[in-house]
Amino acid sequence: IQRFIPQFDLAIVAILSASACILTGCINLSDALKSVSWNLVIWLGSSLGMAGAVNSSGGGELIATFFTGILSENTHPMLMFAALVSITVVLTHFLANSTAVTIVLPIALSVIPELGYSVFPFTVGITMGSAIAIATPVANTTIAMSMVAGYRFSDYWKYGLPLVVICTVIVIVAVPLIFPIYV
């Protein structure tokens, strides 16, 4: 049944939906333009550019080299898992979620199978770690939109950091229990 459902790009769906709202009179064009936070649009666009710059400048390779130096056969798999999830959580707060995953996941996929561990829990943990970005509005567009309400950058850090720590610990503990690391 999946093959009969057409797949659409998210940007195209968003543009068509916004156009439909304006054409049907749900909102007029001037109100729509007034409600857009252009500072936020520029800021999010800049963060995507920064993510591209990190990858093209070799910053991603530098991070990968750092981690492959740390990860060895003598490192306990739970420590490897915790390190990869933690670095993903940290990177995601300063880069886009997808960029953090594209930096960390290839490291895991190249090192983990050679050590005889299952890549599935590492992939799930890294992906979940990239979704924990709530302590800064940089990587999470939905949270960034709340800056319009007058929140400061430090507010996200102050209130989001405890939840990030709790969620990270839960991911590090729960994922290996559900998906065993050993093949």
Side-chain angles (χ1 to χ4, degrees):
I1 227 168
Q2 179 87 17
R3 63 182 168 193
F4 298 114
I5 301 172
Q7 300 295 316
F8 295 105
D9 184 31
L10 183 60
I12 293 172
V13 172
I15 290 170
L16 290 175
S17 300
S19 300
C21 287
I22 291 170
L23 291 174
T24 58
C26 292
I27 188 169
N28 63 33
L29 184 59
S30 62
D31 288 341
L33 291 174
K34 286 178 191 173
S35 67
V36 173
S37 172
W38 293 106
N39 289 336
L40 182 62
V41 170
I42 292 169
W43 183 43
L44 290 173
S46 300
S47 71
L48 290 174
M50 185 175 79
V54 166
N55 281 334
S56 64
S57 69
E61 291 176 21
L62 183 67
I63 294 168
T65 304
F66 172 73
F67 264 99
T68 52
I70 291 175
L71 302 177
S72 69
E73 292 179 12
N74 300 331
T75 308
H76 192 275
M78 279 302 294
L79 184 60
M80 276 190 238
F81 180 76
L84 289 170
V85 169
S86 298
I87 193 63
T88 305
V89 170
V90 170
L91 285 175
T92 303
H93 281 91
F94 302 103
L95 300 171
N97 299 36
S98 58
T99 304
V101 170
T102 57
I103 290 172
V104 180
L105 192 57
I107 300 168
L109 294 178
S110 65
V111 174
I112 301 305
E114 292 177 10
L115 299 175
Y117 305 127
S118 172
V119 294
F120 193 73
F122 286 88
T123 305
V124 170
I126 289 167
T127 305
M128 291 179 79
S130 73
I132 300 176
I134 56 174
T136 64
V138 174
N140 195 322
T141 311
T142 309
I143 292 177
M145 287 190 287
S146 67
M147 287 189 79
V148 177
Y151 293 112
R152 294 176 310 216
F153 200 87
S154 61
D155 293 335
Y156 295 97
W157 188 255
K158 184 174 18 176
Y159 298 113
L161 186 62
L163 187 57
V164 167
V165 171
I166 291 167
C167 290
T168 304
V169 169
I170 290 171
V171 167
I172 290 171
V173 171
V175 169
L177 291 174
I178 298 169
F179 307 105
I181 290 179
Y182 296 100
V183 177

